[in-house]
Amino acid sequence: MRPELLAPAGSPEALRAAVQNGADAVYLGWGAFNARRGAKNFSDEEFAAALAYCHERGVRVFLTLNTLVTDRELPQALETAVQAGRLGVDAVLVQDWGLFGLLRRTLPDLPLHASTQMSLFTSGGAREIAADGCERVVIARECSAEDTRTICENCPVEVEVFAHGALCMCYSGQCEMSALIGGRSGNRGRCAQPCRLPYGVNAPAKKAYPLSLKDSCLAGRLEEMGAMGVSCVKLEGRMKRPEYVAVITRIYARLLEEGRGPTADERAELEQAFSRDGFTDGYFLGQTGPEMFGTRQDEAEPRELFTQARATYESGENRKEPVRMYAMLRRGEPAQVAVQDAQEHLASVTGPVPEAARTRALDGLELEARLRKTGGTAYRCDTVVTLVDEGLSLSASAVNALRRDALAALTAARTAPPKRRELPVPPLPEADCTAEAPRLTISVTRLEQLSPTLLELGCPARVYIPLEEVSRLESLPGEGPEWCAVLPRVWRDRDEPALRTLLERARALGFTGVLIGNLGHLPLVRGLNFHLYGDYGLNVFNSRSLAYLKDKELESACVSFELR
């Protein structure tokens, strides 16, 4: 299976670069709720024009609404999705649970994709969000080939993989570093990129970059990903310049089309366009280590490469959509021309009644030659079928007008937004989350921290212990509090049998609660009769997120500590 090629469009120029170099789809930001708010992004007029431009050329458009939003912001985020749906956007990427649930209930026909910001990296997590109506899951960039294959085999919806571009030190959606030391939240689309800064311990840090990873490059793994069932390969780079987008999109489109890996020259071009001391495929291979680290060097702009790249999207149409044209000239009847594309859109127009030829009659070959002249449009006429009665004449200007009108009608059909339902916003369920007095809970990382003195001083209502520490217990450390196991924030499908065994042991010891930090935890704990509580890894940012998790049978949830 040939995966879809999804390219970044951080600006109208980058969008044209992606489309003209072979992208099957683009993703872009419009409005205030996207994870690359520092990119140029799109104004209202530019967004509408981008949809028309892409759909005319057979390219899908995905809107990124993939940040956490507050209760105050939810109405605006919903309105952004409503307007995008009316304009014909093909899908919306979402991170926030509350926004996801709201969109699913108010815009049931609008396709939703789970952003990589949801931190989904197991089959269980992918199935969970799929069951809630998500049509595609963008899995974590840290997934190996084994992880990816397992998810593809067990996920009922499309799986999207980042194939090229920047890597963060932390899993997407699980990084608080930018917010805590930079004052700007990556989960809110304002990452300060602290991973790219120099650091040191008790020494000057001018040349030490211990958190900066090289960019990922899976150009040589495309056939493997297609074979395992990956539906879409994604190129990162909404903050990068249009020339970069043109270069990487062109190379990846060619590799996918020809079913091969990159040549030495193509690898060199990818590196010239942008790299940090080269590339890495360490995560995909499951081979992590020091060789994955790198920084951006002060290198001269690859002028020749970028000049060639600009020519692909600044000098007219480099991309043509194939069409078939039909024409019929019958005596005494208006001339008819129809055009059909590969997606079976069909448009037809009529013109003047042909006249009797005074000198030379118009034949089928001449009419075909005139209809094939689609230069300057987004179309390429591959086939023409004509039916022409003998002895008729129709002026070249009339044929040209019929061709133009037919192609314009086809464009209107290709760019027409689908009809989608818009349902009323459901009210938040009435709930009282308050208690007579706040209760104290204690979370430890090691059993040794659970001293009798601590338990006596705190008199906690609940104690959280990492699940991996449960194996060291013979009995509960004390009576009184509720004992809860903390599931690991990051794990893989292959770890789940061992985790399930530990959960069963915890239940037998008397643990009655489990702390949930990822959507993929839910399938793990079902049927074990635990009370479910939400951890901070769920990034709860608004009331509707709490309601979404309550529907998942969570009894409480820790809200994001990025909230004011």
Side-chain angles (χ1 to χ4, degrees):
M1 181 182 74
R2 179 193 182 280
E4 177 181 62
L5 179 60
L6 177 58
S11 67
E13 296 82 5
L15 180 136
R16 289 195 298 273
V19 171
Q20 293 299 329
N21 281 278
D24 299 312
V26 297
Y27 62 104
L28 53 81
W30 176 52
F33 308 109
N34 74 90
R36 288 293 180 267
R37 291 168 69 181
K40 183 178 179 181
N41 292 315
F42 290 74
S43 67
D44 293 355
E45 295 77 13
E46 289 170 341
F47 180 63
L51 284 166
Y53 178 86
C54 289
H55 289 163
E56 182 178 6
R57 290 155 182 82
V59 176
R60 300 204 293 168
V61 180
F62 304 151
L63 175 65
T64 55
L65 280 179
N66 57 340
T67 61
L68 303 178
V69 292
T70 65
D71 283 280
R72 292 186 300 276
E73 295 166 340
L74 268 173
Q76 185 184 349
L78 174 60
E79 181 60 24
T80 300
V82 168
Q83 294 300 327
R86 290 174 180 172
L87 290 170
V89 76
D90 295 283
V92 174
L93 285 91
V94 184
Q95 172 189 12
D96 190 279
W97 309 116
L99 180 59
F100 175 81
L102 191 58
L103 293 178
R104 194 66 293 139
R105 296 177 69 179
T106 57
L107 303 173
D109 303 323
L110 180 65
L112 298 183
H113 294 178
S115 168
T116 189
Q117 292 287 120
M118 278 191 178
S119 301
L120 300 176
F121 39 72
T122 64
S123 301
R127 288 195 303 269
E128 193 74 23
I129 198 68
D132 287 343
C134 191
E135 297 190 7
R136 177 182 289 183
V137 178
V138 188
I139 61 175
R141 307 173 199 208
E142 294 78 10
C143 288
S144 67
E146 176 193 351
D147 305 326
T148 304
R149 182 180 296 105
T150 301
I151 295 172
C152 288
E153 290 173 350
N154 293 282
C155 180
V157 296
E158 295 178 348
V159 174
E160 179 177 308
V161 172
F162 273 91
H164 193 97
L167 292 172
C168 303
M169 172 52 65
C170 190
Y171 279 62
S172 297
Q174 295 301 302
C175 180
E176 318 287 349
M177 189 174 179
S178 177
L180 293 180
I181 73 170
R184 292 160 44 188
S185 169
N187 287 316
R188 301 268 286 156
R190 295 288 192 187
C191 180
Q193 299 200 18
C195 294
R196 306 301 178 197
L197 300 178
Y199 297 95
V201 179
N202 299 328
K206 293 181 180 179
K207 295 184 179 180
Y209 293 85
L211 302 179
S212 182
L213 291 170
K214 295 177 181 177
D215 279 22
S216 175
C217 178
L218 302 182
R221 307 288 174 180
L222 298 178
E223 291 179 90
E224 183 179 352
M225 286 192 282
M228 67 176 62
V230 170
S231 297
C232 176
V233 293
K234 186 174 197 167
L235 310 176
E236 183 273 340
R238 280 195 290 146
M239 298 288 286
K240 295 190 175 80
R241 55 194 298 170
E243 295 91 338
Y244 166 87
V245 174
V247 171
I248 63 167
T249 303
R250 171 177 53 83
I251 292 175
Y252 273 82
R254 183 189 300 157
L255 300 182
L256 286 167
E257 184 65 30
E258 298 176 6
R260 61 174 176 84
T263 64
D265 288 343
E266 287 167 335
R267 284 191 176 277
E269 288 185 2
L270 289 172
E271 195 162 331
Q272 287 179 57
F274 190 93
S275 78
R276 293 182 170 91
D277 293 330
F279 296 116
T280 180
D281 56 2
Y283 280 132
F284 194 76
L285 295 179
Q287 299 172 359
T288 57
E291 64 280 357
M292 293 180 63
F293 291 84
T295 57
R296 180 67 172 158
Q297 304 300 312
D298 293 328
E299 300 171 352
E301 177 187 301
R303 292 186 179 180
E304 183 178 351
L305 178 64
F306 278 3
T307 298
Q308 294 171 354
R310 282 191 293 273
T312 63
Y313 60 90
E314 288 184 346
S315 57
E317 284 291 334
N318 191 45
R319 176 180 187 143
K320 297 282 189 175
E321 292 298 299
V323 296
R324 302 183 297 276
M325 299 198 78
Y326 308 89
M328 185 168 66
L329 270 63
R330 306 298 300 271
R331 185 170 284 103
E333 299 177 6
Q336 298 181 54
V337 169
V339 59
Q340 188 174 31
D341 63 16
Q343 292 75 42
E344 304 303 322
H345 294 107
L346 180 64
S348 61
V349 294
T350 58
V353 176
E355 299 177 352
R358 297 180 181 179
T359 55
R360 187 170 62 86
L362 179 66
D363 60 24
L365 290 177
E366 185 179 354
L367 179 59
E368 176 181 340
R370 292 179 183 175
L371 292 176
R372 285 186 180 274
K373 295 179 179 180
T374 58
T377 72
Y379 304 108
R380 179 189 74 244
C381 183
D382 285 352
T383 305
V384 180
V385 178
T386 61
L387 177 62
V388 182
D389 287 350
E390 294 183 357
L392 297 180
S393 174
L394 189 65
S395 68
S397 61
V399 174
N400 292 341
L402 282 166
R403 184 190 66 238
R404 287 194 301 269
D405 291 347
L407 291 176
L410 178 65
T411 294
R414 289 168 66 91
T415 59
K419 292 183 178 180
R420 290 168 171 153
R421 290 171 293 170
E422 296 178 12
L423 305 181
V425 176
L428 271 170
E430 292 187 11
D432 183 4
C433 296
T434 62
E436 291 184 6
R439 297 189 299 167
L440 177 67
T441 65
I442 292 176
S443 180
V444 299
T445 57
R446 301 186 312 278
L447 287 179
E448 288 77 10
Q449 294 172 301
L450 276 177
S451 65
T453 305
L454 174 66
L455 294 176
E456 291 172 4
L457 285 175
C459 299
R462 194 179 299 156
V463 177
Y464 298 113
I465 300 176
L467 183 59
E468 55 267 29
E469 291 285 288
V470 170
S471 62
R472 300 172 54 197
L473 285 174
E474 296 297 330
S475 61
L476 291 180
E479 297 181 358
E482 178 183 12
W483 296 93
C484 301
V486 181
L487 287 163
R489 289 174 71 195
V490 175
W491 78 102
R492 292 293 187 263
D493 279 73
R494 60 182 174 273
D495 303 318
E496 294 191 353
L499 293 175
R500 183 81 176 188
T501 298
L502 285 173
L503 283 166
E504 291 169 349
R505 174 174 170 75
R507 195 73 187 88
L509 283 170
F511 280 72
T512 58
V514 171
L515 197 58
I516 302 292
N518 186 281
L519 205 64
H521 285 154
L522 292 170
L524 264 176
V525 301
R526 287 201 176 104
L528 294 179
N529 198 30
F530 281 113
H531 296 288
L532 307 182
Y533 308 113
D535 203 358
Y536 66 91
L538 289 171
N539 289 326
V540 174
F541 227 74
N542 54 63
S543 303
R544 289 194 181 272
S545 289
L546 285 174
Y548 175 85
L549 294 173
K550 186 177 181 182
D551 287 342
K552 296 286 185 185
E553 299 184 347
L554 271 66
E555 298 180 28
S556 73
C558 177
V559 297
S560 169
F561 49 79
E562 291 185 9
L563 280 169
R564 296 187 226 172

